[in-house]
Amino acid sequence: METHLPLVVIAGRTNVGKSTLFNHFSQKRIAIVDATPGVTRDFLENMVRIGKRTIRLVDTGGLEMTPSFLNPLQKTVEERVWQLMKEANLVLFVIDGRSFLTQIEWEVTQRLRKENSSVCLVVNKREGMTQEALPQEFFALGIPNIFQVSAKHGDGMSSLKQFIEQSLEGHPLSHELSRETISVTIVGKPNVGKSTLYNTLLRKERAIVSDIPGTTRDAIRSVITTPYGRYTVCDTAGLIHRQAIKERVNFYASLRTQESLLQAEICILLLDPLQGITRQDQRIAREIVTLKKCCLIFINKFDLVATRTPQIEAHSLTRYARQELNFLSYASFLVGSAQEAKIREDILVTLAGIFTRYHQRMGNDFLDKVVKPKINYHFPKPLIRGIVQEGVAPPTFIVYTTYGKEKREDYYTQVVDKTLRQVTDWEGVPFEIRFHRAR
């Protein structure tokens, strides 16, 4: 994210409405909102306009202060939250305005006074009660700036926004929410190393990494600026088959992943060679093809493969993956370990090349004199009268044909696709090919 922007952190115990508040400020549904405690694990970031000011807004996991040994991820979550609150220009400490204060909230308040002097108490879930007097125990926390709101319905939010803007007056105004970036989404089944790769690309421990499948629930994003371009990189929850989704939280996590896939320009599909190519991998790959997304297939954990089976080489894994995912034949392939820093350079170079080809144009003269004859070579008589490139992102080609049998259009599409890729480099990029009847 844009680290020069003032940082505002939303914190509090579980299930007090932090994610609802985050979504309200963002003016769109980014964070998963559910009554199940502990839904948010990784923190979520978004650049948000508050009045004339742009801020870096962060939604965090719920605080417990004494994490249970039955929840090994909670300690990591809390360490992240406290580090963020130390760095924050303003902390929005959210509590449930329809419940009594808990011991957690008293303890958090005491520590916040030591960690960060800029704190605002947000008493949430006060729909219809924002004009009523608050119970005295809320004032006893000793936080001078208190706002009653309903993040769900918008009650009291204008006063809170005005306070945030005034609190950050010492920071320069930013009129630009974001410069153009290349949207990259990391996808794959659970526990294949998506969060590890995400951290490697960011060069920091941004996403929580655990051997526990399903650690990542929300789709988390960060912007990175590199010598090869500026990327918005999204780490997603593992995609599981809809029939296997039993918990509502997992359903929403899967939904967020689908949304991130739709927004992406390039997908990085992670594969685990130790598990082989599964039906789940094939299903995700088919989704990428259906949505016509650029694709880099990254075969992860090669370090483990080399240790266990040293005779297996990288090109053998690539050949196997190409065979099993032959319907995604246009994809780029890389083999390596998401844990190794050197893979970052290889991936960024590959992504830059894919993005360049995604916006590549072929001249009509070249298409007419070079590509068209090669296409017609595959047929007993010339069937293609002309071919033009109509657009980019994805590259779109209009093919004028004299043959009118629509049932053979799939075959024609394969011929055109294969020929275009033989004469020009389109690795990693899907085509949109449409046929028109020549007059």
Side-chain angles (χ1 to χ4, degrees):
M1 276 289 166
E2 306 290 358
T3 53
H4 66 281
L5 296 174
L7 173 62
V8 177
V9 173
I10 301 172
R13 64 179 173 86
T14 58
N15 213 26
V16 294
K18 299 185 299 297
S19 294
T20 304
L21 186 66
F22 179 80
N23 287 345
H24 180 94
F25 280 124
S26 300
Q27 296 185 328
K28 57 182 175 180
R29 188 184 59 186
I30 297 176
I32 295 174
V33 176
D34 191 87
T36 307
V39 169
T40 302
R41 289 169 173 170
D42 269 302
F43 63 86
L44 302 180
E45 304 173 77
N46 196 21
M47 286 181 290
V48 172
R49 181 68 59 81
I50 304 289
K52 296 180 180 179
R53 194 169 300 281
T54 302
I55 66 170
R56 177 185 166 209
L57 184 69
V58 173
D59 178 27
T60 62
L63 293 165
E64 293 180 5
M65 297 303 288
T66 53
S68 166
F69 70 93
L70 297 174
N71 186 358
L73 293 178
Q74 184 63 26
K75 183 179 179 182
T76 305
V77 169
E78 301 221 0
E79 287 173 353
R80 295 280 178 91
V81 175
W82 283 108
Q83 183 57 41
L84 277 166
M85 288 197 288
K86 281 183 182 179
E87 300 168 3
N89 301 106
L90 177 64
V91 174
L92 304 182
F93 182 37
V94 184
I95 62 176
D96 185 340
R98 291 180 177 267
S99 301
F100 293 109
L101 288 176
T102 65
Q103 184 63 32
I104 292 172
E105 283 153 345
W106 286 102
E107 291 177 14
V108 170
T109 303
Q110 289 178 2
R111 185 170 171 181
L112 267 174
R113 285 175 181 161
K114 300 174 184 177
E115 305 280 2
N116 193 316
S117 58
S118 185
V119 182
C120 167
L121 184 65
V122 180
V123 185
N124 191 27
K125 303 184 182 181
R126 296 286 288 178
E127 45 267 22
M129 299 188 293
T130 54
Q131 302 303 316
E132 295 180 13
L134 275 171
Q136 284 300 310
E137 65 170 343
F138 294 128
F139 295 99
L141 289 174
I143 299 175
N145 299 300
I146 303 178
F147 293 88
Q148 299 187 68
V149 304
S150 168
K152 185 175 182 180
H153 300 283
D155 302 8
M157 289 300 296
S158 58
S159 297
L160 177 59
K161 290 176 183 177
Q162 186 177 13
F163 171 79
I164 294 171
E165 187 178 10
Q166 291 172 350
S167 298
L168 302 173
E169 279 182 350
H171 295 269
L173 292 173
S174 175
H175 298 287
E176 181 185 33
L177 272 178
S178 65
R179 301 200 309 275
E180 189 170 342
T181 62
I182 302 167
S183 177
V184 178
T185 294
I186 303 172
V187 293
K189 63 191 177 190
N191 221 29
V192 293
K194 297 185 296 298
S195 293
T196 300
L197 180 62
Y198 181 75
N199 288 340
T200 298
L201 292 175
L202 268 60
R203 284 182 171 159
K204 62 179 179 179
E205 293 298 311
R206 167 62 180 85
I208 294 175
V209 176
S210 169
D211 291 332
I212 301 171
T215 298
T216 302
R217 284 172 169 169
D218 271 301
I220 58 177
R221 289 177 174 79
S222 287
V223 176
I224 57 173
T225 302
T226 77
Y228 312 102
R230 197 160 176 270
Y231 300 89
T232 298
V233 184
C234 180
D235 180 25
T236 62
L239 275 168
I240 57 180
H241 198 278
R242 182 159 293 192
Q243 291 178 346
I245 297 174
K246 296 179 181 179
E247 296 182 26
R248 187 168 59 178
V249 171
N250 289 335
F251 169 76
Y252 288 129
S254 182
L255 186 64
R256 291 292 188 276
T257 300
Q258 292 285 354
E259 290 173 352
S260 299
L261 198 54
L262 281 168
Q263 295 168 9
E265 292 172 291
I266 307 175
C267 297
I268 302 178
L269 171 59
L270 257 68
L271 301 177
D272 183 345
L274 301 175
Q275 299 179 31
I277 308 294
T278 65
R279 288 184 180 179
Q280 209 165 336
D281 295 316
Q282 292 176 332
R283 185 177 60 82
I284 298 168
R286 290 189 188 280
E287 187 77 9
I288 292 170
V289 172
T290 300
L291 295 174
K292 293 191 180 297
K293 299 298 180 180
C294 298
C295 185
L296 164 62
I297 294 178
F298 180 59
I299 303 174
N300 191 23
K301 305 184 182 180
F302 185 61
D303 52 336
L304 298 179
V305 173
T307 300
R308 298 181 187 183
T309 320
Q311 68 270 24
I312 296 181
E313 298 180 353
H315 66 83
S316 300
L317 293 175
T318 301
R319 185 171 62 248
Y320 165 68
R322 285 189 185 278
Q323 290 171 349
E324 295 298 308
L325 304 175
N326 54 23
F327 51 87
L328 187 50
S329 58
Y330 65 81
S332 289
F333 281 82
L334 279 177
V335 179
S337 170
Q339 293 183 327
E340 296 178 357
K342 63 182 181 181
I343 200 64
R344 180 180 190 268
E345 187 91 357
D346 294 338
I347 288 177
L348 291 175
V349 169
T350 304
L351 294 177
I354 290 173
F355 187 74
T356 299
R357 292 187 287 274
Y358 193 48
H359 293 266
Q360 182 173 250
R361 278 192 176 274
M362 299 181 75
N364 288 337
D365 195 51
F366 180 81
L367 287 168
D368 188 60
K369 293 181 178 179
V370 177
V371 177
K372 185 178 74 174
K374 287 183 177 293
I375 295 173
N376 280 328
Y377 176 79
H378 293 273
F379 305 110
K381 60 180 181 178
L383 298 179
I384 307 302
R385 287 280 183 88
I387 178 171
V388 296
Q389 184 174 354
E390 186 183 55
V392 298
T396 303
F397 296 92
I398 305 299
V399 181
Y400 296 93
T401 176
T402 58
Y403 197 63
K405 290 189 177 180
E406 293 180 359
K407 64 182 180 181
R408 301 208 63 189
E409 195 167 292
D410 286 346
Y411 172 64
Y412 295 158
T413 301
Q414 291 173 15
V415 171
V416 174
D417 187 295
K418 185 176 181 180
T419 304
L420 285 167
R421 296 184 191 280
Q422 285 174 344
V423 298
T424 311
D425 180 14
W426 295 98
E427 185 179 287
V429 176
F431 291 147
E432 177 77 38
I433 298 172
R434 296 200 292 267
F435 290 88
H436 288 180
R437 177 78 170 165
R439 295 179 180 178

